[in-house]
């Protein structure tokens, strides 16, 4: 990135507007690195300023008249962007749900995978694995079930794989490992949690050619049009960073960083477990999902904040299914993680 | 930008998610540099990845049920994003217009400023000055008229000032130079044409506190929510570039660059004029608007491309009011501009 930034001041290195879809080399590198053997072509990959931004642009493609389903709990951007598009109907305070959204409850009681036989058909299914906030990851069998469900219903899956690099178990890292996914799934990814690029802003979204609207029109063409009209390409400097990440040295560095955060996760899991709490996630994600049975998430959040000066995330912020949980994040310096665990021991031992 | 990119590899220089609204220092510097004496506060400025992207996000704020007016001709993103939001109704091939958009004709016959007495009220008015593609700039009196028109009608002006730095005449560089504009206008700006940042991606949008929807709710609050949900801040490296641009040396460098392109513009104007063409714009913008009376813009575009191997932009691409014109751009190396003028002389002398 430093070299690319410097290059912009030279005649040879300057570049102006790039392709809205991202630099060709970047799209090719993404296809080869993350989608090898999955038949994803570079022109099906759109480079962007992040997965969150792409979710909003996908909502622009879908428009206000679609029905949506989300995992409950889930990353709030799916619901929030859906509210903005006018898809959701009124908010029902009694159940803490929007009336027109299907909430697919994912808890330890169902292995964090929804009982699809009880989920009504929707046009769009947002699905995040490894999951934020629960840290759970869907197995191959579960994803096969999800793809079959979308295929039968003519639904589009928006598969958020922002944490795929944290997968330890032998679960798919991409929805496209599942046969038939090219016909039903969009996948979005990000360098934020792969390379600490949260401030640099770089992500991507895959829209396969075979994914069609019910009238036979390719979704990819519409997404391409939105990318060209509502976006102007990711920063050329950020793309240089992405290319470096996908080099052999870059991949090594990313995996090293991920291993470090996974050690943090293990420390957090050990701490909460030894204090008698039930934890979930952690193995395939940088997040630990900690149960406080019968308690209000915000109360627990407040207790830990006020008594130990540690910030966690209250589970109910991710949907009604998150009530009674907090999310602990592994993204921190080792000494801070250790300090936090020592304070948690003082608080709960 | 080079230093900031390098800094990201150090403990002290690393930064993760920034404020979605942009770094405080950047917002302060924008307020001081471009809005001195105009009472624009830093918390009314949102830093973004470009004006085009902000226009789409503003459309998300407005939603599908607003009526819009655009200058004709105008930068296509206003109409295209409006189509995506579902504001425009059907396209009428006979007049090359969307049925629900008000096209405010701006031509040399009305000094490139619409006859507002004949423009029906709309919720939103997109207005770009200095104008892309005509290169015209609205005078203080004209902008007073526009602000009064919006005030009477309860309309919101989206004022695109992406070329303000090219202003030579004593016209306002910001809509906020006009009294009352804080109550009716949003302004969007960009570093793309100020510092060659087209590939770096950096812009901003101003939404004053006093700008309210008809129910009294601040537009700024809604835009803030869209920025936080559908965007995650401009790249930190790009923001470092923006801060450098707004330093005394940066401003000097930007003005030097702008002067260079204005010399290009003057060369283009001279060439077309000496060949007997009527030209407009150029003085306050990097674009020259060249009239080919009675001819089809695409035919002229094709003629110049095929016979002289020069790319211009056909005027009708900017709306029906652009028919019979081409846009010539000053963004080029001097030797290329001179080569182009020499070829144009061969073609048209």
């Amino acid at each position: 990135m430093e070299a690319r930034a410097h290059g912009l001041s030279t005649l040879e290195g300057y570049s102006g507007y790039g392709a809205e879809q991202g630099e060709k080399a970047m799209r090719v590198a993404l296809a080869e690195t993350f989608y090898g053997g999955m038949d994803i072509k570079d022109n099906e990959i759109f480079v962007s300023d992040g997965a969150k931004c792409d979710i909003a642009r996908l909502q622009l493609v879908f428009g206000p008249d679609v029905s949506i389903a989300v995992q409950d709990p889930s990353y709030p951007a799916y619901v929030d962007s859906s509210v903005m598009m006018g898809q959701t109907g009124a908010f029902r305070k009694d159940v803490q749900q929007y009336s027109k959204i299907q909430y697919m409850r994912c808890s330890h009681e169902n292995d964090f995978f929804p009982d699809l036989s009880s989920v009504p058909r929707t046009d769009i299914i947002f699905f995040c694995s490894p999951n934020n906030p629960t840290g759970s990851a869907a197995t191959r069998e579960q994803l096969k079930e999800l793809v079959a469900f979308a295929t039968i219903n003519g639904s589009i899956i928006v598969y958020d794989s922002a944490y795929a690099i944290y997968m330890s178990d032998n679960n798919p890292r991409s929805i496209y490992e599942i046969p038939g996914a090219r016909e039903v799934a969009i996948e979005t990814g990000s360098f934020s949690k792969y390379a600490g690029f949260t401030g640099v802003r770089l992500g991507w979204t895959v829209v396969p050619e075979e994914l069609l609207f019910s009238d036979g029109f390719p979704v990819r063409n519409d997404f391409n049009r939105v990318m060209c009209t509502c976006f102007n390409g990711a920063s050329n400097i950020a793309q240089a960073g992405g290319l470096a990440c996908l080099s052999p040295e870059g991949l090594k560095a990313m995996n090293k960083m991920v291993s470090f955060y996974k050690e943090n996760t293990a420390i957090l899991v050990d701490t909460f477990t030894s204090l008698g709490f039930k934890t979930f996630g952690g193995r395939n994600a940088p997040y630990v999902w900690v149960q406080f049975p019968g308690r209000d998430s915000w109360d627990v959040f407040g207790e830990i904040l006020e008594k130990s000066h540690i910030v966690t995330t209250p589970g109910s912020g991710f949907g009604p299914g998150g009530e009674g949980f907090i999310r602990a994040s592994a993204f921190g310096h080792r000494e801070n993680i250790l300090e936090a665990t020592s304070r948690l021991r003082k608080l709960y031992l």
Side-chain angles (χ1 to χ4, degrees), chain A residues 45-278:
Chain A
I45 299 179
F46 297 82
V47 182
S48 78
D49 62 334
K52 182 181 175 188
C53 315
D54 277 347
I55 286 161
R57 284 183 285 258
L58 285 169
Q59 292 283 21
L60 257 181
V61 169
F62 300 146
D65 298 327
V66 300
S67 53
I68 75 158
V70 297
Q71 289 158 295
D72 176 28
S74 68
Y75 176 51
Y78 316 134
V79 169
D80 292 350
S81 59
S82 180
V83 170
M84 285 180 186
M85 285 307 296
Q87 299 164 349
T88 57
F91 187 68
R92 290 181 51 195
K93 279 205 168 169
D94 56 338
V95 286
Q96 294 285 306
Q97 295 184 355
Y98 286 93
S99 53
K100 287 167 76 178
I101 293 184
Q102 298 300 331
Y103 291 77
M104 306 184 293
R105 185 58 66 97
C106 297
S107 73
H108 51 291
E109 282 147 9
N110 61 12
D111 193 22
F112 294 99
F113 188 80
D115 173 12
L116 293 176
S117 70
S118 73
V119 175
R121 181 210 172 271
T122 57
D123 299 311
I124 312 295
I125 301 168
F126 287 97
F127 198 92
C128 176
S129 177
N131 188 266
N132 176 12
T134 67
S136 62
T139 64
R140 192 168 306 269
E141 284 312 307
Q142 288 171 336
L143 290 182
K144 276 184 187 168
E145 207 186 304
L146 182 69
V147 166
F149 181 71
T151 305
I152 287 167
N153 287 331
S155 306
I156 293 175
I157 300 166
V158 177
Y159 191 79
D160 185 342
S161 67
Y163 301 95
I165 203 173
Y166 289 83
M167 195 78 79
S168 296
D169 295 331
N170 186 28
N171 301 316
R173 292 184 172 204
S174 164
I175 190 73
Y176 302 115
E177 293 186 35
I178 309 301
R182 285 181 59 87
E183 282 79 17
V184 296
I186 291 165
E187 180 166 300
T188 184
S190 168
F191 285 93
S192 286
K193 313 306 184 326
Y194 285 36
F197 270 27
T198 47
V200 171
R201 311 304 310 140
L202 194 68
W204 70 91
T205 286
V206 185
V207 189
E209 280 174 356
E210 290 93 327
L211 183 66
L212 307 176
F213 289 115
S214 55
D215 65 358
F217 193 83
V219 176
R220 189 181 62 142
N221 295 19
D222 266 12
F223 189 65
N224 183 60
R225 185 64 208 244
V226 165
M227 289 299 270
C228 292
T229 299
C230 304
F231 182 62
N232 229 330
S235 176
N236 44 20
I237 301 171
Q239 291 190 70
L243 264 178
C245 287
L246 300 177
S247 70
E249 307 92 297
L251 289 168
K252 218 171 128 185
M254 289 201 295
N255 284 319
K256 196 176 155 193
M257 193 198 75
V258 166
S259 298
F260 174 82
Y261 287 130
K262 288 179 115 161
E263 290 168 13
N264 282 355
T265 317
I267 294 168
L268 289 170
V269 168
D270 279 356
T271 303
F272 282 109
T273 307
S274 72
L275 290 168
F277 293 101
K278 210 160 181 174

Side-chain angles (χ1 to χ4, degrees), chain A residues 291-303:
Chain A
Q291 191 175 22
F292 287 77
R295 293 198 59 192
D296 178 282
S297 314
W298 278 99
D299 286 348
V300 177
F301 165 79
E303 175 175 281

